[in-house]
Structures are given as C-alpha cells and as structure tokens.
Amino acid sequence: MMKTLSTYLSPQELAKNFSAFHAVDLVKLLDQYATEELLLFCQQLSLEQLAIIIEQSDLALQLRIVQQLSTEKLLKVFTYMSKDDIADMLGELPIALRKSLLKKMKENDRVILTELLGYPIDSAGGLMTTEYIALNENLCVQQALSKIKEIAPQTEIITIIYLLNNQKQLVGTVNLRDLFTHQEEKLLKDFKNPNVLKVYPEEDQEQVSLLVSKYDLLAIPVVNHRDLLLGIITVDDIIDVIIDEQTEDLLGLAGVDKEERLKAPLIDSVKKRLPWLIINLATAFLASFTIGLFEGTIEKVVALASVMSIVAGMGGNAGTQTLSLMVRSIALGEVSFKEDWRLIMKEFSLGFINGAITGLITAIIIYWHYHNVFLGLIILLAMIGNLVIAGVFGFTIPLLLKKMHIDPALASSIFLTTMTDVGGFFIFLGLAQLFLNYLV
Amino acid sequence: MMKTLSTYLSPQELAKNFSAFHAVDLVKLLDQYATEELLLFCQQLSLEQLAIIIEQSDLALQLRIVQQLSTEKLLKVFTYMSKDDIADMLGELPIALRKSLLKKMKENDRVILTELLGYPIDSAGGLMTTEYIALNENLCVQQALSKIKEIAPQTEIITIIYLLNNQKQLVGTVNLRDLFTHQEEKLLKDFKNPNVLKVYPEEDQEQVSLLVSKYDLLAIPVVNHRDLLLGIITVDDIIDVIIDEQTEDLLGLAGVDKEERLKAPLIDSVKKRLPWLIINLATAFLASFTIGLFEGTIEKVVALASVMSIVAGMGGNAGTQTLSLMVRSIALGEVSFKEDWRLIMKEFSLGFINGAITGLITAIIIYWHYHNVFLGLIILLAMIGNLVIAGVFGFTIPLLLKKMHIDPALASSIFLTTMTDVGGFFIFLGLAQLFLNYLV
C-alpha cells in the first residue's frame, strides 16, 4: 500500500489526504522524500497535523522538518505536542537552536521543559509528561467534571485523575468512571483511592516498567521527595521501554549492540560486531592454550582430539540455559539477592544430573566406537564436572555482575564460555593424562 | 514488608485491612496460607474484593479459592469480574464444574463466555474482553454522556468509545475527551475518527501486540468478518503478551522452556532442560565425527587439535550474532520476506570481513607460537570460510523456519551450531590435510 502511495500521490495530495492515513505510516513515506518534497508537504499541513507528524518522526526526520519551519511556527506547533515529546526533541537539537526556542517560549513552558531536559532519557523523569489532570481533593464531583472539561483536551490520560491536598501533595486518585457513579455534591476525597503507586524521577526506566506491567497501570505518577506531583508516565511509553530493554537483553547475550539493525550499512555492522568477536577470540585462545598444555597426551591418544569438543560444547549449552534463565529472571525482577543464593545448590544438582545422563549416553557411544572403557569413564566424569561448572557459573556470573551494577545480559556469556571451555578441556584432558596408561 | 505482614496479621486482620494493600501483593501472601487460613480470609471479604483477589491469582490459587465458595457465591463474584478473566479461569476448571457454572449463569453471560472459551488462548479472541462502550453513531453528545454514565462501571477502558452504525458494524471511534469539547447536540458521527485499527479473533497475539505498540493504542477492537464488534483487547493484556513472547524468544534461543522458572523443583528442571541437551549431544557427536575423519592428520600435526577449537568457536559466536538479530527483527515484524533476502549479501560480506580480521589476528599469534606460516594461512582461510557460513546460515535458518511456520527462536540455534561446528572443523582440518606436507 505504501509503495503505491508514494508513486501516485504528490506531496500536496498526500497532505490533503492526511487524515486517511496513520501518522506512523505517513512518516515512513516522508523519510523517502527529498527536502523540497518535504517542504511542499509541510506547507499544506495544519499546525496540529505538523505536531502529529513530528511526534511520530525519528530524530533525523524531525530535524529535517524543523528546518522547514520558522521559529514562530515551530513554537505554535509545540502547543499541540506533549511536553515529554518536545523535551525529547529539544534535547537532540543543536544547542543554539534549543536555547533560542526555549527563550521564546512562555515562562511556564520554559520552566517545565528545562526541568524535563534535566533528567536522563532512561529515567522516570526523562519518560514523564506533564499533561495530566490533577485536582484538589476537596472539590466535589460537579466541580471536578467542569474542571475536567476544561483540561481534557490537553492531557494524555484522561481516565485517571490525580488528587492533591492543599499542600499540593499527591494523596490519591479517582477514576473518571467514579465521577459518573457518585452524586454531584460528593467530595473527591470521600471516594479516592489512597494507595497510589508512584516513582521518583531518578528511578530507572526498567524498574518503572516492572511496576506498570505488574499492577496493570495505564499511567504512573512521578513525584519528588516531598510528594509533589512532577508528571506522569503513560503506558505507551512503558511499552516502548519494555521492547527496548528486551531487545537489549536478547541481543546483548549474543554480543550484538542493541542499536544495530539488519539493514544498517555494512561498515556500521562491522564496527559493532567486530569488538565482541575479538573479545571472544581472546577466550578462544585461552581454551586453545589449555588444550596445548596436553598436546603430549593427545599425540599419544589422538581420539581425545575428537572427543574433547563434546565436553566443552555441552558445558557451553548447559551453562547458556542457566544463564538465560537468570538474565530473564533478573530483568523481570524475580530474583531477590538474598534467598536466591540458595538456588545455587539446585543448579549444582541439575548440572550433576544432566551431566550424568548425557555423560552416560556419550560414554556408551564412545565405548562402542573406541572399545576403551576408561575413555568412556573419563568422559562421563568430565561431563558431570563441566555441567556442574556450567550450572554454578551460569547462575553466579549474572548475579555478581548485577551486584557490580554491570548489565548481566551484556557481559555474562563471555565469562561463562571461558569457564566452560577452559574448564571442560582441562577436566577432560587432565583426567586423560592421569589415566594415560589405561588409554594407550 | 510482606514477611512482616504474614507474621503479624491473622487472615481476618489481613482481610479487614484489604484496601491498604495491592491485590498483587496480597495474592503472594495467600499463596503461603494453609487451606483453613485461606477460608478464614475469604469469608471476611466482600464479593468485589473476592473478585479482585481471584483476578490477580494464578491458576493454582484460583482453584483453591473457588473451592471455598459455593456456586451461588461464585456466580455473584463473577458479576464483578471482566468476561475475559472469567473465561480464562473457566477454561482451566474441571469440565464438570465449568459446565455447572455455565448452566447456572444468565443466558446472556453464558453466550458470551462460551464464545470467549472457543478461541485459542494465544489468539485475539482469547485475549479480548467484552466490557467496552459501544454506541450508535447517530447519538448526540448529550445522549452519549448519559449512556456512558450507565455503562461506565462495567467497562475496562472508558477513554475510547466505539461507534456502530445501524447494522451494528464498527464504523469509528470517539475519544471521551471529544465529548467534553463538542456541543451537546452534536452527533457522534460528525466528529468520529473513521480510521479504526481492528483485528479478527483468529489473529495471533504477537501480531496484535505489534499493532498496539506501533500505534500507541490503549485498546484494539476485535471484529468478525462482517465488521461486527466482538470485543476489545486492552493494553494491560498486551503488555503481558509482549513480555511472554519475549521470554519465549530469549529462553528459546538457549533451549529453555518458557514455562521454566528458576525456583521450579529440581526434577521439573531436569525434565525441561535435558531434552535440549540431548539434541545438542547429537550435534556434538556430528562435530566429533567430523574431527575423527582427520585423526590421521592430527596425529601428524598435533597443534591442529588446539587450534581447531578456535575456528569452530568463532563461527558459533559470529553466527549467534546474526541469528539473534534475525530472531529479534522477525519478532518485531521488521523483516519482510521479499526484499530482505537481498540482505544475505550483506551478511556474506560481513562474515568475510570479520573473518579476515579475526583470522589475521589469529594467524599472527599462531605463527608467533608455532613458527609455521602455512598453519597461519590455513587458519586465516578457515576463519573466513566459517564466518561466511555463520553469517549466511545465521540469516537464512530463522527465515526458512519462519516460512515453515516453526518458531525461529526455538529451533534455529541447534541448526546453526551444527553448521558452524561441522563446517569449521571440516574446512580447517580439510585444508590442513591438503597442505599437510607444508605443516609437518
């Protein structure tokens, strides 16, 4: 559909049919426009339509669009945008342009935006918007409804109304539907929900997303340490956070930068993937040198060379199972760092059992192939040993990294591979060297 | 806090302080209660409080609670629960109990629930709820507002109002805030948004979640093929879907069942992780037999045994990078299956470049260690070859599996490891055998 559109509709025609399409899709078309086509398109749009387009654009397109607009027009467009989106955009503009825009804004807007700009982009403060409905809890239903009619067009979430006491502290919420079911003269504070989940602006976005998903919230308020309401974070931004954090974890485990895209230029991909491969190369050399220690033994029993790869490989597989489960549990906030240390015994036993079973299968096949019962016994012991190593380190490495405030998803696997490779080769070849007389 | 609670508060006291806690947290306490404590607790609760507790409980706890209640009381509790939650719970109850409950329900509820029960749990139909506001588009603002006052207490999402034509077909939406900004006598259809994103009940939940997150929706309507509104899916359920699907992908890549939990009993974990390890064992033997083909060569140049593991390992690492990127891109709906086949050339080149660079580093170190320029050359060629294999198969395996309607996250890595292990050993040892005269 999109292809057809760009082929048949001129920028002006597209602008005229603005409302027939979703902004998300329009923006993809604009990306392909030359600058003058973009200008033609923007000239046809109303201020509100421009705001919608800017909100949906990525940074590069935002900058191109902003350059088409006069400062005055841009400020007018801002009145249709939510403060968090304006702040995000301002944060990326050249400093001079940002300052000149802020200077020309209304005092009130400038204060809010400067504050929003002060929080890190991955904190609650960076995510929050200031478009919400907050009312004094001493209002009655009728007063509340008439206030809401005034404020509604400027808010993001209309369903939840935040209640403030006379000191402007957040003391509860009422749901819009409650206003419809209570009598007009009833005070808001008489049917408020006083248990409001709230976060401080410095809270990490991942923690915020855990709260919102756990408690099925449509929005969560952000307060300062005196309980003054600073803003709210809406569920659509939370979904973006969840997807981003998930992408980071899944790609991080494989040593891929979360910013990399399949369609990125070749040279970018080389720059992003090569460092991880080089770190892994160091690990591979460690394993290789471990094998090198036993070259004398391998020379005498060359079968060891083909069997040893099984031990190291299986350790890697079992360790990755534990590691992935840990990384996911940590991300979902399911791991407490006290009692869970006891779980290490479970991973130990699991490694032992799985090692014994897969080791036995391997031992039988190896015996059947090489007719040497000691080679079978050695591989059984080595498999048990390496799968125990895999379980214990797959469990402890992410936990330790988390304690050191390093993202477990980004660094765990390299340490784990080192342990299971070096450990696997060392145990297996070490045992082989010990029992060399029985193998030759 | 929770520990303290369970120690100091009796079930009755806890029930009396019901509103002081979040249901999510209460449910965790109930999990630890013996059956008679649970009964004491439930007896103190109002019907609405029971409904809240049941909605937040997992299946096991739901069943325990349901067993405390008479059928009559349970049916009353249902009136406070949303239809999708009732359906999910009914779906898990023993058939006899389910049938008896359905039989005693009001005709209207029974029809809705039977329909909800008919959809797979991971489809749009299985996710949808029937609590929403749908109005005839020919109503005016005033009529709409008074209808909403009636319906509001029974709906999940009040912000979006679905508009039906006289044939009951979904023709648009209005936002609640629009009702506040338009005059009382204005007709809804005059300011409706006619572009409604909607899904059919058989749509896969992952596709639905992509739509909701892409277009920042609070809810998405489900219609049948005659455009009759069947239900809506709310954003809180979508968040659960996103988290579940992501857990499945991340754990699946590592060969862990998405249902496994760190705290699962040992025997469950053995049962869930062992099958994957045994499949991997088959792969490991394939690699081992590949090495076995070249035992004669290794016997003559034992250094090959320690160097070969580098080639296979690096192939695995590079392949996993491409594979994870592919799996994530497929999950996020970023891969179209036409033009993207051209991207295979990029992965080919990427493998070549990264193989050449890491291969060169390896060759230099190997030369410095073994003083044999041919061994260095061979490893350089083998690294290039194996990283090209890794890139091409890391890209094509998930794509092929997806085309065959197999979840790429669950099966890709086993095929990839086979390719990079067998491929890596074969290329390296094969080259070594070809140039054996230069190595000895």
Side-chain angles (χ1 to χ4, degrees), chain B residues 312-433:
Chain B
M314 291 301 290
N317 291 327
T320 305
Q321 286 185 323
T322 307
L323 181 65
S324 299
L325 207 51
M326 276 300 285
V327 165
R328 191 63 184 151
S329 300
I330 290 174
L332 293 180
E334 291 170 356
V335 178
S336 72
F337 291 83
K338 284 172 205 155
E339 45 167 346
D340 289 314
W341 281 98
R342 268 185 283 150
L343 287 170
I344 202 173
M345 272 315 296
K346 181 192 147 185
E347 292 297 327
F348 184 99
S349 314
L350 192 59
F352 191 93
I353 295 173
N354 284 341
I357 297 174
T358 53
L360 199 63
I361 299 172
T362 313
I364 291 169
I365 298 174
I366 293 294
Y367 173 74
W368 169 76
H369 191 71
Y370 292 100
H371 304 288
N372 185 320
V373 77
F374 288 100
L375 189 56
L377 260 178
I378 287 171
I379 202 151
L380 171 60
L381 291 178
M383 287 279 263
I384 293 175
N386 206 24
L387 264 66
V388 166
I389 288 179
V392 170
F393 283 94
F395 186 88
T396 46
I397 290 170
L399 222 47
L400 285 174
L401 288 173
K402 179 77 185 172
K403 282 223 161 188
M404 294 157 69
H405 302 284
I406 300 170
D407 186 345
L410 300 185
S412 289
S413 65
I414 193 78
F415 292 110
L416 178 68
T417 319
T418 309
M419 293 309 302
T420 54
D421 272 9
V422 173
F425 289 131
F426 193 86
I427 294 177
F428 176 68
L429 294 173
L431 284 171
Q433 188 158 319

Side-chain angles (χ1 to χ4, degrees), chain A residues 7-63:
Chain A
T7 324
Y8 293 114
L9 289 185
S10 70
Q12 292 98 324
E13 285 170 326
L14 191 64
K16 269 180 214 151
N17 289 292
F18 184 90
S19 58
F21 307 105
H22 276 279
V24 183
D25 300 323
L26 278 178
V27 160
K28 287 201 183 151
L29 282 179
L30 298 186
D31 252 340
Q32 303 164 16
Y33 273 2
T35 304
E36 59 193 49
E37 289 174 305
L38 193 60
L39 179 61
L40 284 172
F41 177 80
C42 290
Q43 283 170 343
Q44 302 288 327
L45 296 188
S46 71
L47 294 173
E48 186 172 4
Q49 289 171 332
L50 272 170
I52 293 170
I53 287 293
I54 290 176
E55 286 192 332
Q56 294 295 342
S57 303
D58 62 13
L59 176 67
L61 185 58
Q62 277 184 347
L63 284 179

Side-chain angles (χ1 to χ4, degrees), chain B residues 21-267:
Chain B
F21 307 107
H22 275 279
V24 183
D25 300 323
L26 279 177
V27 160
K28 286 202 183 151
L29 283 179
L30 298 186
D31 250 340
Q32 302 162 18
Y33 273 2
T35 303
E36 59 192 50
E37 288 175 306
L38 193 60
L39 179 61
L40 284 172
F41 177 81
C42 289
Q43 283 170 343
Q44 301 288 327
L45 295 188
S46 71
L47 295 172
E48 186 172 4
Q49 289 171 333
L50 272 170
I52 293 170
I53 287 292
I54 291 176
E55 286 193 330
Q56 292 296 340
S57 304
D58 61 15
L59 176 66
L61 186 58
Q62 278 183 349
L63 284 178
R64 288 180 64 205
I65 294 173
V66 165
Q67 280 156 3
Q68 316 294 329
L69 307 175
S70 66
T71 313
E72 284 63 36
K73 189 161 183 183
L74 188 56
L75 285 173
K76 281 184 198 152
V77 170
F78 280 172
T79 61
Y80 292 91
M81 289 173 61
S82 71
K83 296 283 186 298
D84 57 336
D85 286 327
I86 302 175
D88 285 348
M89 193 179 128
L90 286 179
E92 304 285 350
L93 288 180
I95 295 178
L97 181 52
R98 177 167 71 219
K99 279 195 175 163
S100 102
L101 281 168
L102 279 171
K103 223 156 85 182
K104 286 178 185 157
M105 282 180 190
K106 278 183 275 175
E107 171 70 19
N108 191 21
D109 289 352
R110 186 168 56 238
V111 171
I112 293 174
L113 283 170
T114 315
E115 197 170 292
L116 286 177
L117 281 166
Y119 298 111
I121 198 153
D122 57 355
S123 70
L127 278 177
M128 73 186 180
T129 175
T130 52
E131 282 80 15
Y132 52 82
I133 302 181
L135 300 175
N136 188 299
E137 63 171 341
N138 296 309
L139 295 183
C140 71
V141 169
Q142 193 185 15
Q143 291 168 312
L145 278 172
S146 75
K147 285 254 182 194
I148 290 167
K149 281 185 197 180
E150 279 170 42
I151 312 171
Q154 303 149 33
T155 65
E156 287 215 5
I157 291 276
I158 191 182
T159 321
I160 307 158
I161 295 136
Y162 298 93
L163 298 186
L164 310 179
N165 62 15
N166 291 330
Q167 288 76 48
K168 304 261 182 199
Q169 289 171 310
L170 180 65
V171 288
T173 59
V174 292
N175 198 301
L176 185 58
R177 84 181 68 176
D178 299 333
L179 297 186
F180 290 141
T181 53
H182 285 91
Q183 286 175 320
E184 291 197 332
E185 59 279 8
K186 191 115 180 177
L187 296 187
L188 299 182
K189 68 175 168 189
D190 292 337
F191 57 92
K192 76 178 174 199
N193 165 23
N195 299 316
V196 189
L197 279 171
K198 53 204 173 187
V199 292
Y200 296 122
E202 61 272 19
E203 185 73 79
D204 183 77
Q205 61 175 6
E206 193 164 8
Q207 293 306 315
V208 180
S209 74
L210 286 177
L211 278 177
V212 171
S213 65
K214 182 175 172 193
Y215 294 102
D216 289 349
L217 307 176
L218 286 181
I220 190 164
V222 183
V223 296
N224 68 13
H225 290 263
R226 285 178 296 128
D227 258 348
L228 299 185
L229 186 56
L230 302 175
I232 65 167
I233 302 169
T234 53
V235 70
D236 54 322
D237 291 330
I238 290 296
I239 288 184
D240 294 341
V241 168
I242 292 174
I243 293 177
D244 278 358
E245 295 280 343
Q246 166 66 10
T247 301
E248 192 178 343
D249 281 0
L250 190 141
L251 295 183
L253 275 173
V256 181
D257 188 294
K258 69 167 170 168
E259 299 297 334
E260 194 184 335
R261 292 289 167 268
L262 270 179
K263 296 175 190 174
L266 179 60
I267 185 71

Side-chain angles (χ1 to χ4, degrees), chain B residues 11-23:
Chain B
Q12 292 97 326
E13 286 171 325
L14 191 64
K16 269 180 214 150
N17 290 290
F18 184 90
S19 57
F21 307 107
H22 275 279

